[in-house]
Structures are given as C-alpha cells and as structure tokens.
Amino acid sequence: MQTSVAIIGAGPAGLLLGHILHQAGVPFVILERQSREYVLGRIRAGVLEQGSVDIVTELGLDANLRARGLEHGGIYLQYEGERRHIDFRELVGRTVTVYGQQALVTDMLAEHERIGSTIVFEAADAAPHGFDGGDPVVVYTHEGVVHELHCEFIVGADGYHGVCRPSIPAAQLHVLERGYPFGWLGILADVPPSTDDLIYALHPDGFAMHSMRSLQVSRLYLQVDPDESIDDWSDARIWEALQTRLGVPGWTLTEGAITEKSITPMRSFVTSTLASGRLFLVGDAGHIVPPTGAKGLNSAIADVALLGRAILEHRAGDDAPLAGYSDRALSRQWKVQHFSQWMTEMLHVHREVPDASARAFRYRSQVGQLEYVTESVAARQSLAEQYAGLPF
C-alpha cells in the first residue's frame, strides 16, 4: 500500500490533518488501533480557542459547531466569595467556544466517511520504520493480516501512550516532565448550566470549576488529591463540595443526575523535539498540559495547522517550513505550558506545603494575585489574550 502521508491516530489531531491534506489533494491514510465506536465514545476537552474555531470553519467542518457550540466572551474568576468577570471581547476582541471534543471528532469522522477517506480502525501493532531515510513505512496488522504502508511522511497523532514517540532514537529525544500534587474530579451532569460563562474558583477547600457541554449538560470539576479513589466520592458528597466551593450570595448551583465521574491526575510533559527525519509528532504524542488553561486540544490543533501547512509548502518546493516545524511548534507550546502552569498554581490550594503557616501564606498570596489579575486592565488583557489563544 502506498500513500503520501501515513497518520497514526484517529483522534482530533489525526482527523483534522487528514482534512487539511484532502482539501489540498494530498493522499493520506489514517491508522487507528482502537475501534470506531471507542474513538467516538472518548470524552475529552471541550473549550476551543478562537484560532481552533477559525481552522474548523476554514475547512468547512463547522455546521454543527455553529448550530450547537456555545460561544463565550469571557470567564469568571472567583475568590473570597466574590465572582469577577474577565471580558475577552472587550479586552482582546476574541472569544472561545464550548464544543466537546467528542462532538468535533464525530463531525470530522462523518465528513471523512462522506468523502471516502481511508481510515483503518483496529490497526494493531502499528510500527513506523525507515523514517530516517527515504522510504518510510508503517507496518501494522488488521484482521490478522500484516500490512505495509509506504509513504513520504509519518505523522504520530497517537497520543502519550502511542508508538511514534518511543520509535524516535533515545539520543535524539529527551522528555521534560512535571507532576502536580492535584487531581481533578470531573463530572458530567444532566442539568442545564447554572452560569453563562465558565467559573474558575479558588476556595480554602480547593479549586472548583463550572463548565458545560451543551445547554442541557453541565461539566464540573473539583480539586482532589491525585491518589484519591472515585469510589469515596458519592454523588451527594460531590454536589455538597461543589455547592460550598462555587457558592456566592444570590446565585444558585442547580443539581442534576451525574452520568459520568472520574479522577484525573495533573501533569506537564514536553518532548525536546517533534520531528525525527520524516516522522513528526503532534498533540499529546509530544506534549501534555494540565487542563486548567483549556489548552490540550487547542495545542494539538495548532500543531496540525503548522504541520499541515508545512507539508503543503514542501510539495510546492519550499522545505524550510517543514524543517522548522518542531522549533515553531515547541516555541508556541512552551508559552502554552507557562500559561497552563500559571493558571494551575494560582487557582489550586497547595496542600502539599507541609507547614500550616506556609500554606496560609501561599493561599493569601494567591488571593493577592487574583485581586491583581481582576483589578488590572493589563493583567486581564494578558489572561484574555492567552486564554482565547495565541496565534497559530
């Protein structure tokens, strides 16, 4: 089997790159180790930066996004029982849109099926070879038969646990990683959102967040210790903690049936390179951010936008953008990492600090930081610029 670009991974990054290549007439094949049903069932992030929305719109994949996406002109920062609004439209003239990754993947996959793209689900044991030379090939097994997919480029859109990053020689790649002493207990609840814009709250008991997936479904989070068990959190306990941490006078958090709940540890991770010969990494294969800044999905889309354009420019005779892809993508990613780390440290209670006095000092300094951010036009503008999204 022969193609121009072999894409390993049918998540949002891989599917989006396929659409970029298709519209330019570049042949591609997408290999996915999971089933189609599994891919469609994954529940992930749901906040799209302005640039991500623009890319989806440019590719003509925005029909459902326009119909069902919830555009937000800002966020709320809450502390000391007060809620302050950060108005993105007023500060930087940009917005974000709440539209679940699951819905975006559904839209992109449906369009791939309409145009007849080659997507091989349940492609087991995929392994990239020869990417350091002129004949890259991906060997994989499908329905018990071993296949070879020869190509010009291989793109690893296969996530943190994928095969592409480990395939890069150890001498070419090292990993920078940081764990956080926080976990997020996240729930989906069948209840209309109790807020018009997302709420980020610092409370003595820990961080809390109110988001949404639609006008009928709310998404909420609580800071917990990363090693806690979800079995210790009954629905009643979750709602009680949310009521306490998100509560302000004159506002009501409406409760409803919890349909999904889980605890996710938080960490940062970045590889030293996103390229090795003719193999390129995008999204979680090369970097992960804590979710506080809503940057994971958007970082993957930014990578794909850069890499897709670079591949097209290579085919037009200019190799410079492809050679510079890793440096450009990582330069943006480190800015995103800083913002995500900043939001995380500002809004979470640092229980890991052993001394009670030092913990109290840390908490009061965070309150001071939030007061500065909400009261300073320059600080609000900086937050708005980064949250709504740096240029691709």
Side-chain angles (χ1 to χ4, degrees):
M1 197 172 182
Q2 188 82 32
T3 193
S4 291
V5 182
I7 302 170
I8 302 179
L15 294 172
L16 185 65
L17 179 59
H19 281 297
I20 292 173
L21 297 175
H22 167 76
Q23 295 203 2
V26 180
F28 66 93
V29 171
I30 300 176
L31 305 176
E32 168 57 50
R33 68 185 180 91
Q34 302 288 357
S35 68
R36 182 182 185 278
E37 292 71 28
Y38 182 92
V39 169
L40 289 173
R42 287 186 289 214
I43 298 176
R44 295 291 188 272
V47 178
L48 295 175
E49 296 175 358
Q50 181 74 61
S52 297
V53 172
D54 292 344
I55 289 287
V56 172
T57 301
E58 288 169 14
L59 293 170
L61 303 168
D62 60 326
N64 289 331
L65 174 62
R66 287 198 314 271
R68 299 201 296 268
L70 304 177
E71 186 177 270
H72 290 266
I75 60 172
Y76 292 102
L77 293 180
Q78 181 176 315
Y79 55 95
E80 300 294 274
E82 294 187 10
R83 189 175 294 166
R84 311 283 184 88
H85 193 245
I86 309 296
D87 192 322
F88 296 168
R89 290 190 183 94
E90 177 184 281
L91 292 162
V92 295
R94 293 164 71 79
T95 63
V96 296
T97 300
V98 171
Y99 191 65
Q101 177 175 315
Q102 188 179 12
L104 184 62
V105 166
T106 299
D107 296 344
M108 291 194 291
L109 187 54
E111 180 61 12
H112 273 300
E113 292 173 347
R114 189 192 70 80
I115 63 180
S117 301
T118 301
I119 302 178
V120 182
F121 290 101
E122 300 181 78
D125 304 320
H129 300 280
F131 51 84
D132 55 346
D135 184 26
V137 60
V138 180
V139 180
Y140 67 97
T141 301
H142 184 245
E143 296 181 343
V145 179
V146 177
H147 299 265
E148 290 187 359
L149 176 60
H150 293 264
C151 54
E152 186 178 5
F153 301 112
I154 301 172
V155 177
D158 51 347
Y160 179 79
H161 297 289
V163 300
C164 289
R165 185 183 68 257
S167 299
I168 297 176
Q172 296 182 20
L173 179 146
H174 64 271
V175 170
L176 301 175
E177 193 164 9
R178 177 191 174 182
Y180 294 85
F182 322 120
W184 268 19
L185 190 163
I187 68 167
L188 281 174
D190 283 340
V191 59
S194 302
T195 179
D196 54 344
D197 279 336
L198 282 68
I199 303 169
Y200 288 78
L202 172 68
H203 186 275
D205 290 352
F207 168 78
M209 179 180 177
H210 188 333
S211 182
M212 63 283 292
R213 281 296 175 267
S214 70
L215 293 176
Q216 295 79 37
V217 177
S218 295
R219 182 72 159 151
L220 301 106
Y221 299 94
L222 289 166
Q223 175 188 347
V224 298
D225 292 336
D227 57 354
E228 287 195 49
S229 170
I230 194 65
D231 295 334
D232 295 332
W233 285 84
S234 66
D235 291 3
R237 184 186 177 193
I238 291 171
W239 284 117
E240 181 181 7
L242 287 167
Q243 294 284 3
T244 298
R245 299 186 197 183
L246 290 169
V248 292
W251 178 80
T252 300
L253 173 62
T254 306
E255 300 181 11
I258 295 176
T259 59
E260 188 269 340
K261 58 183 177 180
S262 61
I263 293 177
T264 304
M266 300 175 67
R267 61 195 176 94
S268 296
F269 152 85
V270 187
T271 58
S272 59
T273 183
L274 298 176
S276 177
R278 292 174 176 264
L279 170 64
F280 301 91
L281 306 178
V282 295
D284 287 0
H287 44 73
I288 292 173
V289 293
T292 323
K295 295 301 170 201
L297 172 59
N298 294 293
S299 292
I301 292 174
D303 287 350
V304 167
L306 286 171
L307 182 59
R309 292 168 185 164
I311 291 173
L312 301 186
E313 290 177 34
H314 161 79
R315 292 174 67 87
D318 185 359
D319 287 336
L322 201 55
Y325 159 71
S326 179
D327 288 343
R328 292 173 65 199
L330 286 175
S331 175
R332 185 184 190 278
Q333 176 58 206
W334 279 114
K335 298 179 182 72
V336 168
Q337 288 285 345
H338 170 264
F339 176 70
S340 300
Q341 176 180 265
W342 176 75
M343 287 280 286
T344 298
E345 294 185 338
M346 179 173 64
L347 287 162
H348 287 74
V349 173
H350 293 262
R351 301 191 187 102
E352 77 281 6
V353 178
D355 179 74
S357 177
R359 284 198 303 274
F361 184 95
R362 182 69 178 264
Y363 184 84
R364 294 313 310 174
S365 70
Q366 290 172 251
V367 172
Q369 186 178 14
L370 283 161
E371 288 178 343
Y372 171 70
V373 169
T374 55
E375 293 170 4
S376 164
V377 173
R380 293 199 306 273
Q381 191 170 39
S382 175
L383 188 157
E385 178 185 42
Q386 294 178 86
Y387 197 103
L390 299 174
F392 287 0

